[in-house]
Amino acid sequence: MEFSQLRIFQAVAEEGSIAKAALRLNRVPSNLSTRLRQLEERLGVALFLRERQRLQLSPAGKVLQDYASRLFALQDEAEAALKGGEPAGTFVIGSMHSTAAIHLPAMLAHYHRRYPAVNLQVHTLPSGELVDGLLAGRLDAALVDGPEVSSELEGIALFDEELLLITEAGHAPVRSARDVAGQPLFTFRPRCSYRRRLENWFAAQRATLGPVMEIESYHSMLACVIAGGGVALMPRSMLDSLPARDAVSVHPLAAPFGQATTWLMWRKGMAGANLRAWSDGLRERLQLP
């Protein structure tokens, strides 16, 4: 296998389309199709499943994607080491949606100013999916909720978040989950750690969990709550950034459900120059020891 073939494979896997991957790589689609076909013939397996207008990774393709991500990470680390340990190559950071919206912009700008040669990429996903990305080698580091208990990961605590339950304006005070029992919940996908906290809050107080409605943005969650459709949980920092924040009622949750700590996590043994520079920058900005 050639690295150029793997780059093409990775681009198609991420874009789900040869045409979109060709635009991203500034190449013609026919060239990508030929190189992919050659790679599949060499390996003797189908890497993609053709479904309507989108390409989905086959089981073999998912295996190759994991290995390709690790190879590219090692390549970047090798280049950085040969350049005297200076940050270089591609650095892929994952982040929860709220952290990406509130805390990450300043961090990204700070890092880019210091290390403009680094190709910095950001993936926003629920916390559980970020951990999967770390373990699979698709992410170099991730900002996740709480220290993930895994022998393959390590990290540092960065900052605390206060989690708030929001309801339609004028809602009676919420002192327990029973006060909103049965009401619809607006939240992210199942691997979202904040969703898990909310579900655990209901379970701990033996309250009836209402229907869960999955939404992919805090703006949409807020709009649905304002309309009287149900309740949602979000960090105070996120709520404070939204223009319509005064159109809902806010209810703090008792410990341990109303407090979360955001961590920077990475795979053990994979703290290369890019990650060390990112970690040092965070420590400096947040005044961590």
Side-chain angles (χ1 to χ4, degrees), residues 54-135:
R54 185 171 178 83
L55 295 178
Q56 300 288 349
L57 283 171
S58 68
K62 292 179 181 178
V63 172
L64 181 60
Q65 185 182 42
D66 289 343
Y67 279 104
S69 297
R70 297 182 197 182
L71 285 171
F72 294 141
L74 287 172
Q75 181 188 33
D76 292 339
E77 190 172 336
E79 290 178 359
L82 292 173
K83 294 177 181 177
E86 285 297 312
T90 299
F91 180 51
V92 185
I93 184 86
S95 173
M96 296 179 291
H97 296 276
S98 57
T99 305
I102 304 303
H103 303 288
L104 203 54
M107 298 177 188
L108 293 173
H110 178 76
Y111 190 88
H112 183 67
R113 282 195 298 268
R114 285 196 173 186
Y115 310 106
V118 177
N119 175 21
L120 189 59
Q121 300 180 10
V122 179
H123 294 184
T124 54
L125 295 165
S127 199
E129 295 180 26
L130 292 172
V131 171
D132 291 344
L134 288 175
L135 294 173

Side-chain angles (χ1 to χ4, degrees), residues 153-198:
L153 301 178
E154 57 187 340
I156 56 173
L158 297 181
F159 47 82
D160 294 330
E161 292 278 14
E162 182 185 5
L163 302 181
L164 302 170
L165 186 79
I166 60 172
T167 64
E168 62 180 315
H171 193 287
V174 177
R175 297 184 175 86
S176 78
R178 298 186 187 90
D179 295 328
V180 288
Q183 293 191 32
L185 308 179
F186 299 105
T187 184
F188 288 101
R189 299 193 296 270
R191 302 299 302 283
C192 172
S193 61
Y194 292 166
R195 170 175 173 169
R196 190 165 60 246
R197 288 176 183 271
L198 185 59

